[in-house]
Each structure stands twice: as C-alpha cells, then as structure tokens.
Amino acid sequence: MEWFRRLRNHWIKRRVTDARYLKLFDENSDEIVVFDTETTSLDPKTAELLSIGAVKVKKSTIKLSDRFEVVVRPEGEIDAESIKIHHLRHCDVEHGLSAKEAIEQFVDFIGGRCLAGYYLEFDRAMIDKYLLKLAGIRLPNRGIEVSALYYDYKIGRIPQGYVDLRFDTIMEDLKLPRLGKHDALNDAIMTALILIKLRRDDE
C-alpha cells in the first residue's frame, strides 16, 4: 500500500549516513528509469558489478539523449562463463570506474524516480549491496517488474495457460526490435520498449 511505503521510506531516510543519497527520496512521478546490470556471476551475494545501463522513460518516449552507461572495475576475476554472456573481459573493464564511483553516478541519474527492469530484483540487489556500504540503506525507489506486467498481459488472453517469460520470447511476441550485442544499455533500452508496449496495450 502506498501509505505504508511512504511511512517506511520516512524511517529509512533517517538512517542515511551520507546526505548525498537523500536525493533518492525526492520522488519524480513523471519519469521512470529502466536499468540493467552486467555482473561477474548470477549470485548477488558474491557477484561484482561490471556495468550499469539505464534510460529514462517519460510517457511513451525513451529519452536516449539522457541515458546512463558506465563500466565498473571489479576487484576480483571475471568468470569465464560470465564472459560468454556479457562479453566483458578484464581488459574491457580494467580502466572502468570503481563500484563506489559508479553507484554515486547512478544515484545522481535516478534520483527518486520509479525503477523498472527485467527481473528487477536481481539488479536492485546488486545496487543495494554497494549502497548499504555507502549510505546504510537499500534503494527506496518504487519498482516495476516488466516480466510481471507481461505475465498479466498474457494470462488474461490465455487463462490457465503457460506464459513463457524469457526475454527473447517477450521481445518476439510483442514484435519489438532486437538491438545489437548483449550489454547493459541495450538491454535497458529493449526493456523500456517492452514497458512502453505493455502500458500502451493496457490503456
């Protein structure tokens, strides 16, 4: 419930240990930030950030001129299996930002905007892991899970049916264009296209 979320954020705000992160509580209802991360593994407890990509969405417009993309320098090694997915090698990230710098810039970009993503829980967990160390809090922003939106969209058309929630399947089913190589920014843009398409069809 919205009143409970606001009350909870009121108390969370009091725990912020660095005033620079208070901007996360300045809610902006006009825009949504769609974001994605690339990481060294799929376990948020041990994974490190390799890149963050994000775009702002206002109504049915993706603001590509106001996008966010950073490469992050991990402290540990990059697993060979993860390289097959995101194609980021040590030489690609060795001159990237530190995780602290990346999170600070990401917070400046998102402010208090609602966040959206494909399996958003994982990406939020990755940001939260660093944010807890830097500010003593997790992201207080509202969230939209696009795979859940898609599930609701499909299940209404095929009651009691199976809904394939794989990213490629969703893109194909909604007849949306695929963008080049797999990276955080491209994934964020494609996820934004899914969000806009589903919100239009829901109107």
Side-chain angles (χ1 to χ4, degrees), residues 74 133 158:
K133 297 177 182 178
I158 47 169

Side-chain angles (χ1 to χ4, degrees), residues 86-115:
H86 49 62
H87 306 295
L88 290 171
R89 304 157 298 172
H90 177 72
C91 61
D92 299 317
V93 299
E94 61 181 339
H95 299 298
L97 300 179
S98 68
K100 178 178 182 294
E101 292 171 317
I103 295 298
E104 288 173 348
Q105 291 186 20
F106 183 64
V107 166
D108 284 339
F109 182 78
I110 66 174
R113 295 173 180 83
C114 178
L115 302 175

Side-chain angles (χ1 to χ4, degrees), residues 25 85 106 136 190:
F25 297 89
I85 299 173
F106 183 64
M190 289 187 287

Side-chain angles (χ1 to χ4, degrees), residues 171-202:
M171 292 292 292
E172 182 177 353
D173 183 53
L174 297 179
K175 297 179 173 54
L176 296 171
R178 294 302 308 268
L179 303 178
K181 65 177 183 177
H182 174 88
D183 64 36
L185 181 59
N186 277 350
D187 284 357
I189 294 171
M190 289 187 287
T191 303
L193 290 173
I194 294 173
L195 175 66
I196 291 171
K197 172 70 173 177
L198 292 174
R199 295 174 83 195
R200 277 179 179 168
D201 288 349
D202 193 44

Side-chain angles (χ1 to χ4, degrees), residues 80-168:
E81 289 302 312
S82 69
I83 293 176
K84 294 178 182 179
I85 299 173
H86 49 62
H87 306 295
L88 290 171
R89 304 157 298 172
H90 177 72
C91 61
D92 299 317
V93 299
E94 61 181 339
H95 299 298
L97 300 179
S98 68
K100 178 178 182 294
E101 292 171 317
I103 295 298
E104 288 173 348
Q105 291 186 20
F106 183 64
V107 166
D108 284 339
F109 182 78
I110 66 174
R113 295 173 180 83
C114 178
L115 302 175
Y118 175 76
Y119 288 119
L120 182 64
E121 182 179 356
F122 174 82
D123 295 310
R124 287 186 74 128
M126 287 303 304
I127 301 298
D128 286 345
K129 182 167 74 169
Y130 296 95
L131 192 58
L132 277 167
K133 297 177 182 178
L134 295 172
I137 60 167
R138 294 179 172 84
L139 286 168
N141 310 59
R142 291 182 294 120
I144 299 174
E145 173 52 61
V146 297
S147 67
L149 291 182
Y150 179 74
Y151 179 86
D152 292 341
Y153 165 81
K154 291 296 289 184
I155 203 67
R157 291 162 171 76
I158 47 169
Q160 299 179 339
Y162 167 73
V163 181
D164 187 341
L165 296 178
R166 288 176 295 180
F167 191 83
D168 289 347

Side-chain angles (χ1 to χ4, degrees), residues 33-91:
V33 172
V34 184
F35 83 102
D36 182 70
T37 64
E38 299 296 341
T39 61
T40 55
S41 79
L42 296 178
D43 182 354
K45 293 181 180 179
T46 58
E48 291 188 77
L49 281 171
L50 292 176
S51 67
I52 309 172
V55 289
K56 292 175 183 173
V57 173
K58 186 169 185 177
K59 295 183 179 178
S60 295
T61 301
I62 301 174
K63 301 172 70 174
L64 290 177
S65 61
D66 191 12
R67 59 187 179 270
F68 180 86
E69 184 177 24
V70 294
V71 173
V72 185
R73 182 179 68 254
E75 294 182 2
E77 296 298 318
I78 304 176
D79 182 83
E81 289 302 312
S82 69
I83 293 176
K84 294 178 182 179
I85 299 173
H86 49 62
H87 306 295
L88 290 171
R89 304 157 298 172
H90 177 72
C91 61

Side-chain angles (χ1 to χ4, degrees), residues 22-37:
L22 290 174
K23 64 190 69 177
L24 291 170
F25 297 89
D26 298 332
E27 295 194 14
N28 181 319
S29 59
D30 292 334
E31 295 177 334
I32 296 170
V33 172
V34 184
F35 83 102
D36 182 70
T37 64

Side-chain angles (χ1 to χ4, degrees), residues 9-27:
N9 279 357
H10 171 75
W11 290 106
I12 292 174
K13 188 175 181 179
R14 298 176 63 164
R15 298 205 306 265
V16 175
T17 58
D18 187 329
R20 290 176 297 177
Y21 295 93
L22 290 174
K23 64 190 69 177
L24 291 170
F25 297 89
D26 298 332
E27 295 194 14

